[in-house]
Amino acid sequence: MADKLPKRTFTDLFNDQLPVLHIKFDVKSTEESPITVIIQNKLYKQSNAKGSAYVNSICAHEKLKEFADFYQAYDGFELATPVEPKSAVKVPLLKQLAASTIKSYTEQYLPGGKFGWTIQHNAQSTIKSLYHGTDKWIVFAQIDDGPACLTTFLEGENAGNIFILMPEPRFNVLKPIAKGFNAFLDRIAKDPAAFLKLIRASVRINKDDGFRYGYVPIEYFDNVPQ
C-alpha cells in the first residue's frame, strides 16, 4: 500500500511552489474540460506593532485567542490570485485584511457605510438582527472584490465563530463555517478549492466577446499537475 501524503497545513499553502486551480463555468457539466489557472498565494509577516496591538485590544474573549495569536505572527494573506491565463482578473479570491485596516474596513458595513446595504437590504432579514444586535463583530477578510466577506464576533454566544457575509445569499449564512480561527485555517488547508467554492469565490475571466465570466474552483494542486 502506498504511503499516504502528509497532511497539508495552512502555512504549506505558501511554500515556494507553483499552485494551480482547476476551474469550470458549470461544475455539473461532464462535457466541459476544466481550465488550468496558475495562482499565487502570499502570507505576510507581522511588522506593524500598532496593528497587532489593535487586534490584541479587541480580542478580550478567550475564544478570540487563536485569532489574536495569528495576527502576532502574520499580517494577513492573499489566497489564489490568478497569474495565468492573462485573461484572468488578477484579484485574490480570498484576502485576509492587514490588522491596521480591520477597523476601517468593518465600518464600511455599518449603517451608512459603503457596504452597509449588504446587511440593511439583505433578503435574509435575520441577518440584520445578528449584525445590528448588541454583540460586537468585525470584518477580517474580503472575498474577491467584495462586498462578500468573512466576519467574526468579538463577544456573545458567537464569539470566535467565522461567518460568511454577502448580499442575497442562496444559503444559510447565519450558520458559522468554522467554530474557531484555527478550525477556519484547517478547513482552508484541507481542500482550498472546496473552501473557495463554499464562500462563492470565483475566478473571473475576460472573454473575446467583451464579457467577464466567473468560473468555479473545483480542484487545487500544490504544483502544476504533470
Side-chain angles (χ1 to χ4, degrees):
M1 182 180 293
D3 293 336
K4 291 184 177 180
L5 292 174
K7 182 179 179 181
R8 183 196 293 122
T9 67
F10 178 74
T11 53
D12 287 338
L13 296 171
F14 305 92
N15 291 338
D16 293 330
Q17 299 174 326
L18 200 60
V20 157
L21 278 177
H22 276 179
I23 62 175
K24 279 188 174 185
F25 183 72
D26 181 1
V27 295
K28 296 181 179 179
S29 172
T30 57
E31 299 179 359
E32 177 189 355
S33 298
I35 297 174
T36 296
V37 180
I38 298 175
I39 59 173
Q40 186 178 52
N41 302 324
K42 291 183 179 181
L43 180 63
Y44 295 97
K45 291 290 186 181
Q46 182 56 264
S47 60
N48 187 323
K50 288 185 178 180
S52 60
Y54 167 71
V55 170
N56 274 340
S57 72
I58 63 174
C59 292
H61 199 288
E62 60 180 0
K63 291 186 177 180
L64 272 298
K65 185 179 185 306
E66 297 172 352
F67 184 86
D69 286 348
F70 181 89
Y71 270 106
Q72 300 318 297
Y74 305 106
D75 201 20
F77 61 81
E78 294 178 358
L79 187 65
T81 303
V83 176
E84 296 287 348
K86 296 188 183 301
S87 56
V89 178
K90 309 301 189 289
V91 171
L93 271 61
L94 179 64
K95 177 182 179 179
Q96 183 174 338
L97 303 175
S100 62
T101 66
I102 290 175
K103 184 176 186 294
S104 60
Y105 197 78
T106 299
E107 288 173 348
Q108 296 186 61
Y109 290 82
L110 300 179
K114 177 182 177 181
F115 297 132
W117 58 269
T118 306
I119 298 171
Q120 190 66 32
H121 302 295
N122 206 294
Q124 293 188 20
S125 58
T126 48
I127 289 178
K128 282 193 287 186
S129 63
L130 178 65
Y131 287 101
H132 290 173
T134 57
D135 294 336
K136 295 179 181 178
W137 52 273
I138 55 171
V139 175
F140 71 91
Q142 176 180 305
I143 301 170
D144 295 334
D145 282 327
C149 62
L150 299 180
T151 69
T152 190
F153 280 77
L154 305 177
E155 56 192 18
E157 62 179 357
N158 289 310
N161 290 347
I162 310 299
F163 293 86
I164 304 172
L165 174 61
M166 59 177 56
E168 307 306 334
R170 298 179 182 178
F171 59 100
N172 182 13
V173 295
L174 298 177
K175 181 180 179 180
I177 58 172
K179 293 194 172 184
F181 194 74
N182 287 350
F184 159 70
L185 299 181
D186 289 344
R187 187 166 187 178
I188 295 176
K190 182 179 180 180
D191 191 336
F195 185 85
L196 293 170
K197 181 181 177 182
L198 168 71
I199 63 174
R200 302 303 196 265
S202 63
V203 177
R204 289 163 291 164
I205 295 182
N206 296 309
K207 306 294 268 186
D208 292 339
D209 61 7
F211 290 94
R212 179 176 291 176
Y213 297 87
Y215 286 74
V216 181
I218 60 170
E219 196 165 7
Y220 179 94
F221 299 90
D222 295 314
N223 289 288
V224 176
Q226 301 299 317

